[in-house]
Amino acid sequence: MRVLFIGLKVGAGLISICQSVKNELEKTEGVETDYVDIYSENEKMAKFSSEFYYKLVKLFPRLVAFGQKFAYNKSLKSKEKHGFINNDVKVCKEEVLKFINRYKPDVIYTPMNFVAIALDKLIDEGKTNVKYVYQVPDFMLAYYVQLIRHCSFLVSSCEEITNLLVEHGFDKEKIRTFGIPINPKFPQKVDRAQVLKKMNFPDKKFILISNGGAGFANNCKIVKHFYDKIVDYYLIVVNGKNKASESEINSFIKENNIKNVINLGFVDNMNELMAISDIMIGKCGSSTLCEASINHLKYIALDNNLFPEIKNIEFLKNRQASIVVKNTKEMSEALKLCISGSDKIKAIEKNFSKINIENSTEKIAQLILSLEENKN
């Protein structure tokens, strides 16, 4: 059996989702897997998605969200419905067919709606009969998802999304509420003493600050505000690929002789850092939320206006699963609440721990494998 994963380099979330299931499937004998970035061989679209669109989303998130909603509503009323998404699909379709012909997969797994729609069009045109699984990548329903018709299965991120899918007319038999897949190492138990020894950390309580692989938030501002207010805790700051942030914090630590801040760049052991921490301050990418959820962290969500994370924040608020903050003043109050151990924070922590659906990655992998079994 050969499975092709199709992702996109726009942030780390989509890649993480694909790689998590890919790694799980590779444990099965006889399964071959391949991963491709949909625009890896289309320089113009690759630059647009990974640079221009990424920067636009970062700088003007709510404008992007409004623009997408406006375009969607307008397309519903136009004679040629969904013209906006069809432009993406037209370009994407050529790339998808090229990869199908190259890798000859039995099944395709993708967390991108326009790839799924492109696959539908290729199936309608008789250019492929490949089976595919579409993964809802966030705690929101992407625009145009109702156009997806030929998927073998659609993996929903949560019960709320499943209900919306049914309202949109999806066949309930094809929907699986398996959640967001996460790297299999996150559910594994971590030996705290070994991690502390390996990382040369003191045996203290930790507050973890991380804002994705790209390092979006102003981590130095957070450090300056809190380092002298958290007597019983150490801060672990993960800056990701944001070298400027890492350097700024290092300078601040050196200039002020700070002892309770551990400053890191890009790391590959977030599972261990989460496991030894009590509280986490972070952004709201779906993968990060599920990884933190499985570690039962008290989560302080930064409302950094990134799209589609603003929808994930709405999801957190509706579930009363996190403390959402917009500035350091609100963050101070949130930290006091987390440290208090009150019934309120215990309820929030319990709700947050339910965001991740147990064994999501394994369930999705088995779902893909079942398509080969059904063929036989």
Side-chain angles (χ1 to χ4, degrees):
M1 182 184 189
R2 192 162 195 170
V3 183
L4 176 62
F5 294 83
I6 303 181
L8 179 66
K9 186 181 178 182
V10 52
L14 296 174
I15 299 172
S16 174
I17 284 170
C18 289
Q19 288 294 342
S20 296
V21 182
K22 183 177 184 294
N23 292 343
E24 183 65 27
L25 275 176
E26 287 171 352
K27 297 177 183 178
T28 303
E29 187 177 351
V31 176
E32 296 178 71
T33 65
D34 304 283
Y35 172 83
V36 295
D37 182 308
I38 185 60
Y39 293 134
S40 59
E41 298 178 11
N42 186 319
E43 187 177 349
K44 181 180 177 182
M45 290 302 295
K47 191 171 183 179
F48 173 81
S49 61
S50 65
E51 294 183 23
F52 177 76
Y53 179 73
Y54 201 41
K55 289 177 182 177
L56 194 64
V57 167
K58 183 178 179 181
L59 294 172
F60 309 105
R62 296 192 185 277
L63 181 62
V64 172
F66 173 80
Q68 290 196 353
K69 186 175 182 179
F70 177 80
Y72 174 71
N73 290 334
K74 186 177 179 181
S75 72
L76 291 176
K77 298 175 183 177
S78 64
K79 291 181 180 179
E80 185 185 349
K81 288 190 175 182
H82 311 298
F84 185 77
I85 190 72
N86 285 339
N87 291 331
D88 284 344
V89 171
K90 185 178 180 181
V91 178
C92 172
K93 194 170 68 166
E94 297 175 8
E95 304 300 315
V96 172
L97 186 59
K98 177 172 61 180
F99 291 129
I100 289 175
N101 290 333
R102 180 182 304 171
Y103 293 103
K104 296 178 172 51
D106 298 293
V107 179
I108 290 175
Y109 173 90
T110 184
M112 295 182 295
N113 59 338
F114 62 91
V115 171
I117 297 168
L119 282 165
D120 279 351
K121 289 188 177 294
L122 289 170
I123 292 169
D124 288 338
E125 293 167 7
K127 294 179 180 177
T128 184
N129 61 353
V130 68
K131 295 179 179 179
Y132 76 90
V133 175
Y134 171 68
Q135 169 76 52
V136 177
D138 286 287
F139 298 107
M140 62 170 283
L141 197 60
Y143 297 130
Y144 310 103
V145 165
Q146 74 271 24
L147 299 183
I148 297 173
R149 294 174 291 111
H150 295 314
C151 64
S152 297
F153 293 108
L154 189 151
V155 180
S156 169
S157 55
C158 58
E159 288 293 343
E160 292 92 327
I161 294 300
T162 297
N163 293 336
L164 283 174
L165 288 167
V166 173
E167 287 178 21
H168 275 74
F170 273 91
D171 182 356
K172 199 170 184 179
E173 296 301 313
K174 286 187 175 183
I175 302 172
R176 297 292 185 274
T177 311
F178 288 165
I180 305 289
I182 59 175
N183 191 307
K185 67 183 180 182
F186 277 90
Q188 296 174 5
K189 288 187 176 181
V190 169
D191 187 314
R192 177 184 170 84
Q194 285 186 6
V195 175
L196 296 182
K197 184 178 180 181
K198 180 180 74 171
M199 301 295 291
N200 196 26
F201 287 176
D203 189 5
K204 297 285 186 178
K205 294 179 181 179
F206 296 107
I207 298 170
L208 177 63
I209 301 171
S210 176
N211 288 285
F216 272 115
N218 189 339
N219 286 342
C220 193
K221 183 179 179 181
I222 298 173
V223 170
K224 288 178 179 179
H225 187 78
F226 287 115
Y227 82 94
D228 59 348
K229 298 179 179 67
I230 47 166
V231 180
D232 298 325
Y233 289 82
Y234 268 54
L235 291 178
I236 301 175
V237 187
V238 179
N239 295 283
K241 296 178 182 178
N242 192 333
K243 294 291 184 182
S245 176
E246 183 183 2
S247 178
E248 185 182 7
I249 295 171
N250 279 335
S251 297
F252 181 74
I253 291 172
K254 187 176 180 181
E255 290 168 6
N256 295 276
N257 194 29
I258 297 169
K259 304 296 184 184
N260 66 337
V261 177
I262 300 167
N263 191 39
L264 305 172
F266 186 86
V267 301
D268 59 4
N269 66 329
M270 277 299 291
N271 62 313
E272 293 178 335
L273 298 181
M274 286 185 181
I276 65 171
S277 298
D278 299 284
I279 302 167
M280 182 169 176
I281 302 171
K283 62 197 285 289
C284 291
S286 60
S287 295
T288 298
L289 292 176
C290 289
E291 290 161 1
S293 170
I294 205 167
N295 280 286
H296 300 276
L297 288 166
K298 301 178 185 74
Y299 200 86
I300 300 174
L302 292 176
D303 190 354
N304 50 16
N305 290 340
L306 289 172
F307 183 80
E309 291 183 17
I310 52 176
K311 295 295 183 181
N312 290 340
I313 288 171
E314 288 178 15
F315 168 77
L316 289 175
K317 288 179 177 177
N318 290 336
R319 283 219 178 176
Q320 299 180 27
S322 176
I323 309 168
V324 179
V325 300
K326 292 184 178 181
N327 51 53
T328 50
K329 182 180 178 181
E330 292 181 0
M331 205 179 294
S332 293
E333 294 303 314
L335 270 176
K336 287 178 184 176
L337 180 60
C338 287
I339 294 169
S340 72
S342 65
D343 289 342
K344 182 178 179 180
I345 193 61
K346 286 178 181 177
I348 292 172
E349 185 180 0
K350 184 177 180 181
N351 291 338
F352 185 70
S353 70
K354 294 177 181 178
I355 288 174
N356 178 70
I357 295 178
E358 192 174 356
N359 300 322
S360 57
T361 309
E362 293 90 335
K363 290 175 182 176
I364 294 167
Q366 288 301 316
L367 186 70
I368 293 171
L369 291 172
S370 74
L371 294 173
E372 178 69 4
E373 295 167 3
N374 292 338
K375 188 176 81 172
N376 297 330

